[in-house]
Amino acid sequence: MIRNIFIAIIAFTLLLGCKAKQYDVSVPPKGYSNNTTLKIAYATGALKIIEKDFPVPEDIKEYKDITYKTVDTIPLKLDIYHSKDIKKDAPLIIFIHGGAWKKGNKHDYLVYLSSFAQKGYVTATVQYRLTDVAKYPAQLHDVEDAVRWLKLNAANYHIDATKVALVGGSAGGHLALMNAYSNTQEDVDEKGISAAVQAVVNFYGPSNLTDETAINASSVQYLIGKSYEEAPDLYKKASPLFLISKNVPPTLTFQGTLDELVPYEQSDILHATLQKAGAISYYHKLKGWPHTMDASVKVNAYCQYHMDRFFEKYIPFN
């Protein structure tokens, strides 16, 4: 009898523990009071981090290292993913990696690439020239050319070229916004293809390279190749904030308040300026989370939940 009661108590305790681990992915996960407590949580394993390098799921078809253009003998490549069971053309989501424009790898977003491919989208990730190879606007031109290549070759990969979204983090967020805001359907190349997109998702990307934090950042100076005093117009032309109009694509922004690389005020101003212009903007400012916050399992689930809603609205399946 006592043994049965003891087993029942253990079972009930385990049940409570399982319930405690459940959380609503539509609600922002609780953040940290400062970056010190966050680092402690990470060091002790209390902060769970997503896997970044894992085998591509068996139900996903991967096209690896496709050269979309060659510049000065340098081949620039992209990867494409879609379900092996795909039956008809699907919306395309293109991911642009971060790394202060000087590092990073198109493989960095595998968790998103595989997840959204399993949801039925075609996903792609793009390599672009880093700042030790070329200065701005080379990086933007590479992204634009990758978008055009994917549209031109849409029929080979089950892509619906009329429904394209860009997603970028940090430096990739900046490039995603620049492409989305500087290209229209009328801006076509010699083949009649534009780099315009229907939606853009910005993860903590800098929107204004002319503010004090940006102009003093070595990564921004290295991107432009000149100091702000030498080329203020170029810093402004490289800032998504100054390209905003009511006609820019719908924008979804994620930003953490503990971000030490891109101040959250950059995203505050971006969202406010989009709203003032009459453009569509959704803004998720997560209290107590840092740069690259979506490396957290809980934050990643939250972001994917809201990305799902965003894509369903602006690049819907037929």
Side-chain angles (χ1 to χ4, degrees), residues 64-186:
K64 190 74 172 174
D65 291 329
I66 304 168
T67 298
Y68 69 89
K69 79 172 184 179
T70 301
V71 184
D72 297 330
T73 72
I74 302 172
L76 295 177
K77 301 178 180 182
L78 54 80
D79 305 335
I80 301 172
Y81 301 81
H82 64 65
S83 169
K84 289 180 179 177
D85 294 330
I86 196 166
K87 303 299 183 186
K88 58 182 180 179
D89 292 350
L92 170 67
I93 306 173
I94 305 170
F95 292 83
I96 308 171
H97 72 79
W101 305 281
K102 63 182 178 181
K103 60 181 180 179
N105 190 295
K106 60 183 170 61
H107 187 72
D108 292 347
Y109 278 145
L110 183 59
V111 65
Y112 288 117
L113 294 160
S114 59
S115 176
F116 282 99
Q118 288 179 316
K119 294 170 184 176
Y121 297 94
V122 181
T123 61
T125 180
V126 175
Q127 175 190 13
Y128 55 89
R129 282 171 288 175
L130 303 177
T131 47
D132 62 341
V133 174
K135 302 306 179 187
Y136 188 84
Q139 295 74 23
L140 174 59
H141 293 332
D142 293 344
V143 171
E144 292 172 330
D145 288 341
V147 173
R148 292 190 181 100
W149 188 95
L150 285 160
K151 288 185 178 183
L152 183 64
N153 293 275
N156 297 326
Y157 302 100
H158 303 283
I159 294 169
D160 181 345
T162 68
K163 297 176 181 178
V164 181
L166 284 174
V167 181
S170 194
H174 165 262
L175 294 174
L177 291 172
M178 284 299 302
N179 183 98
Y181 294 175
S182 63
N183 286 280
T184 69
Q185 296 291 353
E186 288 72 37

Side-chain angles (χ1 to χ4, degrees), residues 226-293:
K226 296 180 180 180
S227 69
Y228 179 73
E229 289 73 20
E230 293 173 314
D233 289 344
L234 189 51
Y235 279 69
K236 185 174 182 179
K237 289 178 181 178
S239 298
L241 186 69
F242 302 109
L243 297 173
I244 289 173
S245 74
K246 67 177 181 179
N247 298 319
V248 300
T251 302
L252 171 61
T253 296
F254 296 99
Q255 176 77 50
T257 61
L258 293 184
D259 196 326
E260 296 179 315
L261 293 179
V262 178
Y264 67 81
E265 289 85 359
Q266 287 253 344
S267 292
D268 288 352
I269 295 170
L270 175 69
H271 177 57
T273 305
L274 286 163
Q275 287 188 313
K276 185 177 180 180
I280 298 171
S281 179
Y282 302 86
Y283 182 26
H284 295 265
K285 183 161 72 170
L286 277 67
K287 185 177 181 181
W289 289 98
H291 203 66
T292 66
M293 61 185 177

Side-chain angles (χ1 to χ4, degrees), residues 206 208-221 235 263 266:
N208 181 8
L209 301 191
T210 70
D211 79 354
E212 185 174 358
T213 301
I215 64 177
N216 291 319
S218 60
S219 58
V220 176
Q221 294 175 4
Y235 279 69
Q266 287 253 344

